[in-house]
Amino acid sequence: MFGNFLTLIFRQFARQKVYTFLHLAGLAVGIVGGILTFLFIRYHYTADRHHQKFDRIFRVVTDLRLDDGSVETYPEAMPPLAPLLRRQFPQVEAATFFVTNQDVTIRQGDRVFPEHTGVFLVDSSYFKIFDYQWKQGTPGSLQQNTAILTERWAKKYFGDRNPMGQRLDIDKETSVLVTGVIADPPPTTDLQAGMFLPLDVIPTFEKDNWWYLNSTNRVYATLKDPGQMAQLEQSMPKLIRKALGADARYIQLHWQPLRDVHFDSRTPGSIRRTLVYTLAWVGLFLVLTACMNFINLTTAQSLRRVKEVGIRKSLGSSRRQLLTQFLLETAVLVGIAFLLGLLLVEILLPYLSQWTQSQLSWHLDASLILFLLLLAGTITGLAGAYPAYLQANFAPIAALKGTLRPRSTISLRQVLTVTQFVVCQVLITGAIVMVYQTRYFQQADLGFKKDNILLINLPEKGKDHVLRHALEAYPEIQGLTFQFRPPSSTKMNGGTFKFADKASFETFALREKIADAAFIPTYGLQLVAGRNITPSDTLREIVVNEAFLRKLHLKDPNQILGRKLDYYLAHSSLPIVGVVKDFHHLSLHKAIEPCFIGSQASLYQQVGIKLAVDDLEKTLPRIRAVWEKIYPQQPFEYQWLDQQLAQSYQAEGSLANLIVLFAGVAVWICGLGLFGLIRFMAETRTKEIGIRKVLGASEGQILYLFGKSFVIMAALGFVVAVPIATVLLQSWLEQFTYRISLHWLYFGGTLLITLALTLAVIAYQSIRAARTNPVYSLKTE
């Protein structure tokens, strides 16, 4: 019997080629959306779950509480905290302090490898907490002046040679011996290390300094019982008071489970958990839209199979047999659509990984197999159950007489069609808004010039003047400044201060931009009062921004000129000699804070070079030649400022790309459904169209006949979609300090796209039907 069912099913597919294609195309694309969404969610929810003690691992993070009531959150904690946790708290099984992404230069023979990420400085407890697969050596292999490498990094340095016992030079100061090799960590870890070095590799490392807070510092601990986290966190204020005294009121430590670290914005490469939930809902609605599309087309076609059902019932077929046949028909379609969907996933996955900056993997494991089975069963049930039930319950007499007209089906089709329009229009609006917000980030006025500026990290101190003298000889170099970081950067230092004529410190922190006197003209910062700082190698005077004045409730920038303040970097009071117009010293995610610009040559880590637009290709080789002459042992590495700034908004760009993709999927599914429904309408109303043509109806009137109900449903869907999209997008935009507003044009664009799609499909089918010779139309049975 099963073979007979399959024969009937494929015979039905062959008779209805167009509708079979529409079914497969809609289901396959919906399945692709569901699978890609699952892979994206799995990638982020499996972050660092390969560690055996995952449920017992915690990160200690720091809150800096300022006197003005503001709170600044940091992912780091102090170096002395880890050994103190090990000694004083029996609940702590192990605690480790380590430094991530240490910037070093590695030498192996004559080859030089500048490493900006992937070098971790760890203590002896690190490998007691985090698990790695050891290929050579053991967790105890990391001793003084030794190194542990991943397989990929070992191959990078030594090729096919055995790395064990080989030496690497670190910053021309230390030579380390390779004593261990581990398997490459999975891409789903936030601890992407390629080399482990002991902490004492840095001679100046302040391991006992409770105020040594650096963005690369980390403290992790394993608890014997994770339920003791709250008790431990309550003990932190007393511990901090003992270490810092009265200043402890500024510091608050929190314990963060490892499962939350990946979803914390303080973690590089993190993603908000709400965003993952949002994408999960989007993926679900894509699958539901594909199912609704299938139900619409199937129920519309069911009237064609009325006589078939009547004959089969009159010949003895039971309702159960008919249900089985129709469900099996759906299952076969879903199975074929799954195969097409898997093929599309294989093709699209590399592009999706690139768009989302994620290393999404396509490998079958228990979770993926379970998801695919659940997805296939759900789609088969949702898409097939109602049409099968509807067709199997046709009354045989009414079916044979052709008098069957199920009104509820028409009503359900309208509801499903409107729902498809709602989902489609919400996604289109979301795509438009997210693209414009991302474009706003890329094109917003930051308060400084970012184009054609080259950033080069300085490898050593003492040669700044030589480099400046050599580069300024080229007229195509329009500006050159030595700096800690460019005007806008994710790395920002700062501290408390007080005016020299006051006894108490101000209640807000002051951010610092350490750079020479050429910083302001090179980046085109605008002075609104006073003058620029004078050239100096030490911090003697400063220029502040307008946000500094607002904090002091000063409206006239001249009021601040000449006042002196005390700051931890200077040995004497610093006069304020100028005020610059506000510029975004952090990303557009955060508000502009009070900051100053001052020179301190010992802190310069970069040189910023502004180049003439017309001479980029000529100038780069000249800069390289100068660099290789002054720093012959250092590779010439550079980055364009505008590209560096763009990296701050990769998460928003990735989300926009995903939503655009999913909106395209929704439009595709919706378009297929419209095409199928209107085609079916044209086929079932062929005689009516012929009669209307004979009576003088024009093509426009035929178009109106077909399009009226669908345009009304599109408009109704728009009415429902607007408040839904408004709530969702307003909530998303509120996370940004600087953002676009929800302009009516975004919604108007959505409506325009939807109506254009609807009318294009209607026009194609209705004009095709209207141009059919009435003689053939009237002959149609």
Side-chain angles (χ1 to χ4, degrees), residues 214-216 484-485 489-493 513 585-586 605:
N214 190 289
S215 60
T216 57
F484 176 72
R485 287 293 184 276
S489 171
T490 56
K491 193 169 186 178
M492 173 66 72
N493 296 330
K513 282 294 174 185
H585 54 82
L586 295 168
Q605 295 185 0

Side-chain angles (χ1 to χ4, degrees), residues 655-723:
L655 175 61
N657 288 333
L658 271 178
I659 297 300
V660 168
L661 173 65
F662 289 152
V665 170
V667 169
W668 169 262
I669 295 172
C670 191
L672 289 175
L674 285 174
F675 182 87
L677 288 176
I678 297 170
R679 180 186 175 89
F680 179 77
M681 182 186 294
E683 290 175 351
T684 54
R685 302 177 73 173
T686 303
K687 275 191 175 181
E688 178 188 345
I689 295 169
I691 294 170
R692 287 178 180 271
K693 286 272 290 181
V694 170
L695 295 176
S698 65
E699 290 183 0
Q701 290 172 322
I702 301 297
L703 176 63
Y704 177 80
L705 174 69
F706 276 83
K708 179 182 176 182
S709 61
F710 288 100
V711 170
I712 290 173
M713 285 188 283
L716 182 59
F718 178 75
V719 171
V720 177
V722 166

Side-chain angles (χ1 to χ4, degrees), residues 76-272:
E76 64 259 29
M78 313 82 167
L81 180 62
L84 195 63
L85 291 175
R86 291 195 294 265
R87 290 195 307 267
Q88 295 189 8
F89 294 91
Q91 308 98 312
V92 177
E93 182 179 282
T96 181
F97 171 83
F98 60 96
V99 180
T100 65
N101 300 326
Q102 183 68 20
D103 201 336
V104 298
T105 300
I106 308 293
R107 287 178 172 79
Q108 203 286 311
D110 296 332
R111 297 186 301 162
V112 181
F113 302 88
E115 303 292 4
H116 306 298
T117 60
V119 176
F120 281 28
L121 309 181
V122 304
D123 63 19
S124 57
S125 297
Y126 180 89
F127 293 110
K128 296 178 182 177
I129 296 176
F130 300 107
D131 298 311
Y132 293 90
Q133 185 180 354
W134 290 84
K135 299 296 184 179
Q136 298 183 72
T138 64
S141 301
L142 189 66
Q143 303 294 331
Q144 187 174 8
N145 294 330
T146 62
I148 307 296
L149 301 177
T150 62
E151 288 181 302
R152 184 167 61 87
W153 280 44
K155 189 173 184 63
K156 175 173 66 173
Y157 295 138
F158 303 106
D160 295 329
R161 289 181 294 160
N162 186 357
M164 296 292 285
Q166 303 286 342
R167 286 201 168 270
L168 295 170
D169 294 326
I170 312 293
D171 288 337
K172 298 195 298 186
E173 297 175 357
T174 306
S175 177
V176 296
L177 187 72
V178 178
T179 56
V181 178
I182 59 175
D184 295 329
T188 53
T189 180
D190 289 318
L191 302 173
Q192 285 291 346
M195 173 187 292
F196 296 96
L197 299 172
L199 282 169
D200 57 15
V201 164
I202 304 178
T204 58
F205 179 67
E206 303 177 57
K207 64 179 181 179
D208 298 321
N209 185 353
W210 279 91
W211 283 110
Y212 182 62
L213 289 171
N214 190 289
S215 60
T216 57
N217 293 356
R218 298 290 185 272
V219 171
Y220 279 77
T222 305
L223 301 185
K224 296 175 182 177
D225 179 6
Q228 297 175 323
M229 184 197 76
Q231 179 186 352
L232 267 174
E233 187 161 316
Q234 292 173 359
S235 305
M236 293 298 103
K238 182 179 179 181
L239 182 150
I240 292 298
R241 282 196 300 271
K242 186 175 180 180
L244 299 179
D247 291 334
R249 62 194 175 96
Y250 296 111
I251 299 294
Q252 186 170 3
L253 300 178
H254 296 287
W255 287 66
Q256 185 179 54
L258 184 57
R259 65 175 177 272
D260 295 335
V261 170
H262 184 70
F263 303 101
D264 188 340
S265 59
R266 291 171 285 195
T267 304
S270 65
I271 185 172
R272 290 180 176 84

Side-chain angles (χ1 to χ4, degrees), residues 493-530:
N493 296 330
T496 55
F497 74 99
K498 73 181 186 68
F499 286 103
D501 56 358
K502 290 186 177 181
S504 60
F505 281 83
E506 295 296 321
T507 59
F508 61 92
L510 185 60
R511 303 302 180 186
E512 61 196 48
K513 282 294 174 185
I514 302 300
D516 61 18
F519 185 82
I520 289 178
T522 298
Y523 291 104
L525 300 178
Q526 300 178 33
L527 280 165
V528 296

